Amino acid sequence: MSTPGEKPDTRELVEADVVPRSRWRMQLVWLVPIVALLVGGWLATKAVLERGEKITISFKTGEGLEAGKTKLKFKDVDIGVVEAVTLSTDRKHVVAKAEVVRDVANLLVDNTRFWVVRPRISGGTVSGLGTLLSGSYIDVDVGNAVKPRTDFVGLEVPPVFASDIPGREFTLKSAGLGSLDVGSPVFFRRLQVGQIASYQLDPDGKGVTLKVFVNAPYDRFVKGDTRFWHASGVDMAFDTNGLRVETQSIVSIIIGGVAFESPADSIEQVAAAANAQFELYATRADAMKQHDRIVDKYVVNFIDSVRGLTVGAPVDFRGVVIGEVTQIYTRFDPEHRRFSIPVEIQIYPERFTSRYQTGRAGGRISDDPKGIANYLVENGFRFQLRSGNPLTGQLYLAMDYFPDAPKAKIDWSRSPPELPAVPRTLQSLQDSVTRLLTKLNNIPFEAIGNDARTTLRTTNSMLSKLDADVIPRAHDTLASAQTALDSANSALQPESSLQQTTEETLRELARTSAALRTLADYLSQHPEALVRGKSGGQP
């Protein structure tokens, strides 16, 4: 060990070998940024790989849409989020840009539907109440198409049924919508089996087309000849059958609905195809009417009033409806200068044949329809207005046999042909009373009254003469007659000589009769006594 002031002993030190430093040697300080870079790259790669599908959805308004908050849900599972809400270039609608997770990107096909779920009351149903607390969201209904799509138009009204619900959709044609709305129920035998899916006005403006969805398994009851009708509210009608009140349920009274049923005599067994088209009738009565293939049009001309007869009134043949009234109007006859009421009717010849028999070709009872019609008219068949219901005053047209009807023929040159009619019973009675009153008006009641007064004066004069001349004489005659009766009464008394003489005479007559009877008996036994005389010794 060296002391202060002494030089150090350098012989004990070992010289180090100098090694040149490598320019590629990594310092530990660079390890952290490298790791960070790798992690960032991995995260960026993962973000790119996991990035969802970008889509755009157009809506009429942006109500309930909020960028970064509004979710996209499928079966209540979050599958995306709205990233931005902007106006379209034409400023007529709103475009929502959203990102959908990659796992469900295959759900974005051509018929996938989007709509904003918010509180809503429609068709008697309340939906979206949960969004009052959680906020609105976009619901998704996945379609069954194959073609992918990223640009969609959102629905303003939620669909009534999801695409995966079993059942079938049908098309209804109606003259008016009535009280129906999207979501209105569809009834079958008073059970709710479906809903109204949508409706729209026809391009020509003459009707409405509705889409109805019938859930499985009830859709199999929709056959080719099934009839649909409005079941909205209470159906009340006054007709020839009286007052009718029909309804499906309390729900239909409040929000309306549609009902369907097949005719009782239907032979159709195959269920109707999806999207099959049917007519929507106003009432069940209209829907369940017999739909005839053959229709003959005629005109019946009436002179009397047709008040109470309406379009649709039945044409009746002895209790069987064979047609209906289609039009009622007036006609002026310039030749006779009078008005008449032509009533156009439709006759269904098939109703004259039995449902258990096919009849002749075409469903008619004869191959010569004109000949049959001429025969019926020639033999007294006529049309007559009759009262169907005294309370409502409704009339119907009856075809019946009137043997005393004037002769008539069908004019086949007219189109439609005109059939003869007879006045109704009340009108006939009124005409009879009118004729009677006319005859009574022709009787000279004033002259008859003057003659009667003259006769009464003559009679009074005669009675006065009777009082002065005839009555006293009659009194004397009656007195004489009384005296004669008193004398006759005295003569008939038992003690009178007349009575005794009469009794004696009667006794003599009795004895004479007995002698004659004895003589007659003897002569019958001895006729020879008339010649020889009475034999001696014989009584």
Side-chain angles (χ1 to χ4, degrees), residues 50-93:
E50 294 182 354
R51 185 179 62 180
E53 187 74 25
K54 300 290 184 178
I55 63 172
T56 58
I57 310 171
S58 298
F59 295 99
K60 287 186 177 181
T61 66
E63 181 185 359
L65 300 177
E66 192 172 353
K69 292 185 178 180
T70 304
K71 304 291 185 181
L72 276 71
K73 294 186 177 183
F74 175 64
K75 296 185 180 297
D76 288 334
V77 177
D78 292 346
I79 62 172
V81 64
V82 174
E83 295 182 336
V85 180
T86 61
L87 287 174
S88 63
T89 55
D90 58 4
R91 295 181 176 83
K92 292 183 179 180
H93 54 275

Side-chain angles (χ1 to χ4, degrees), residues 423-499:
R424 53 179 167 161
T425 305
L426 183 60
Q427 185 67 31
S428 300
L429 178 60
Q430 182 177 348
D431 294 341
S432 299
V433 172
T434 301
R435 288 193 295 269
L436 177 60
L437 291 177
T438 302
K439 292 180 180 180
L440 291 176
N441 289 332
N442 294 329
I443 297 176
F445 289 104
E446 185 176 358
I448 293 174
N450 293 333
D451 294 341
R453 283 193 292 271
T454 302
T455 303
L456 288 175
R457 284 195 295 269
T458 304
T459 303
N460 289 333
S461 177
M462 293 176 63
L463 290 176
S464 298
K465 292 181 179 180
L466 288 174
D467 289 340
D469 299 334
V470 178
I471 291 179
R473 295 179 182 179
H475 183 271
D476 295 340
T477 303
L478 290 175
S480 300
Q482 183 66 37
T483 302
L485 288 175
D486 292 340
S487 300
N489 188 34
S490 300
L492 293 176
Q493 295 296 324
E495 296 83 1
S496 63
S497 58
L498 179 60
Q499 181 70 19

Side-chain angles (χ1 to χ4, degrees), residues 72-79 107 115 137-142 162-165:
L72 276 71
K73 294 186 177 183
F74 175 64
K75 296 185 180 297
D76 288 334
V77 177
D78 292 346
I79 62 172
L107 302 180
W115 67 94
Y137 64 91
I138 298 177
D139 206 349
V140 182
D141 179 46
V142 178
S163 301
D164 57 350
I165 293 180

Side-chain angles (χ1 to χ4, degrees), residues 85-120:
V85 180
T86 61
L87 287 174
S88 63
T89 55
D90 58 4
R91 295 181 176 83
K92 292 183 179 180
H93 54 275
V94 173
V95 178
K97 297 180 180 180
E99 181 180 345
V100 179
V101 296
R102 182 172 295 275
D103 292 342
V104 295
N106 58 342
L107 302 180
L108 304 175
V109 292
D110 191 54
N111 58 351
T112 297
R113 299 179 291 181
F114 297 85
W115 67 94
V116 179
V117 178
R118 59 175 71 98
R120 188 187 306 269

Side-chain angles (χ1 to χ4, degrees), residues 15-31:
E15 293 182 1
D17 295 332
V18 178
V19 179
R21 181 169 144 185
S22 176
R23 59 184 302 182
W24 299 106
R25 187 174 179 181
M26 181 180 295
Q27 301 294 326
L28 294 176
V29 69
W30 292 104
L31 184 61

Side-chain angles (χ1 to χ4, degrees), residues 186-207:
V186 176
F187 296 98
F188 175 68
R189 302 194 183 278
R190 302 185 185 275
L191 297 175
Q192 183 174 346
V193 298
Q195 292 174 306
I196 302 294
S198 63
Y199 62 85
Q200 64 178 2
L201 186 67
D202 291 342
D204 57 3
K206 296 182 178 180

Side-chain angles (χ1 to χ4, degrees), residues 213-523:
F213 184 80
V214 180
N215 301 320
Y218 306 106
D219 57 337
R220 61 189 175 92
F221 297 114
V222 180
K223 309 295 181 61
D225 58 352
T226 295
R227 317 284 171 79
F228 288 81
W229 68 89
H230 281 275
S232 304
V234 179
D235 182 14
M236 299 182 62
F238 277 102
D239 55 16
T240 55
N241 296 320
L243 174 63
R244 294 186 296 103
V245 179
E246 295 182 0
T247 184
Q248 289 293 321
S249 67
I250 299 298
V251 176
S252 67
I253 295 177
I254 299 174
I255 64 173
V258 171
F260 69 88
E261 187 179 341
S262 296
D265 56 352
S266 173
I267 59 175
E268 184 71 43
Q269 299 296 330
V270 180
N275 295 316
Q277 183 172 306
F278 299 89
E279 183 176 356
L280 181 60
Y281 295 91
T283 63
R284 184 181 185 277
D286 294 337
M288 300 309 291
K289 280 183 179 179
Q290 183 176 350
H291 294 184
D292 300 89
R293 296 179 295 110
I294 307 174
V295 179
D296 292 338
K297 294 183 178 181
Y298 297 96
V299 169
V300 184
N301 198 25
F302 292 97
I303 304 299
D304 48 337
S305 174
V306 296
R307 182 179 181 85
L309 184 69
T310 59
V311 173
V315 178
D316 181 279
F317 174 66
R318 298 183 178 180
V320 178
V321 177
I322 60 170
E324 62 180 340
V325 176
T326 57
Q327 287 188 15
I328 303 174
Y329 47 91
T330 60
R331 178 196 297 168
F332 179 71
D333 185 358
E335 181 180 353
H336 299 88
R337 294 186 176 275
R338 67 178 182 180
F339 285 94
S340 60
I341 312 296
V343 177
E344 288 192 7
I345 62 175
Q346 290 182 346
I347 301 296
Y348 308 118
E350 292 174 298
R351 301 191 183 184
F352 285 97
T353 59
S354 172
R355 61 174 291 189
Y356 301 106
Q357 298 176 355
T358 57
R360 294 184 178 272
R364 298 179 182 271
I365 59 177
S366 172
D367 295 332
D368 184 15
K370 290 185 178 181
I372 289 292
N374 290 330
Y375 173 80
L376 294 176
V377 171
E378 290 174 0
N379 285 271
F381 277 87
R382 300 288 187 273
F383 287 89
Q384 184 185 50
L385 290 173
R386 293 181 182 176
S387 176
N389 192 318
L391 296 178
T392 62
Q394 295 288 328
L395 301 179
Y396 69 94
L397 206 56
M399 178 183 177
D400 210 336
Y401 176 64
F402 298 89
D404 299 329
K407 296 294 183 180
K409 291 184 178 181
I410 302 176
D411 186 1
W412 295 103
S413 63
R414 292 177 177 265
S415 181
E418 185 172 319
L419 299 175
V422 296
R424 53 179 167 161
T425 305
L426 183 60
Q427 185 67 31
S428 300
L429 178 60
Q430 182 177 348
D431 294 341
S432 299
V433 172
T434 301
R435 288 193 295 269
L436 177 60
L437 291 177
T438 302
K439 292 180 180 180
L440 291 176
N441 289 332
N442 294 329
I443 297 176
F445 289 104
E446 185 176 358
I448 293 174
N450 293 333
D451 294 341
R453 283 193 292 271
T454 302
T455 303
L456 288 175
R457 284 195 295 269
T458 304
T459 303
N460 289 333
S461 177
M462 293 176 63
L463 290 176
S464 298
K465 292 181 179 180
L466 288 174
D467 289 340
D469 299 334
V470 178
I471 291 179
R473 295 179 182 179
H475 183 271
D476 295 340
T477 303
L478 290 175
S480 300
Q482 183 66 37
T483 302
L485 288 175
D486 292 340
S487 300
N489 188 34
S490 300
L492 293 176
Q493 295 296 324
E495 296 83 1
S496 63
S497 58
L498 179 60
Q499 181 70 19
Q500 293 177 357
T501 303
T502 302
E503 291 180 357
E504 184 65 27
T505 301
L506 291 175
R507 282 194 292 271
E508 289 296 329
L509 288 174
R511 286 193 292 272
T512 302
S513 298
L516 290 174
R517 186 179 301 107
T518 302
L519 176 61
D521 292 340
Y522 179 79
L523 291 176

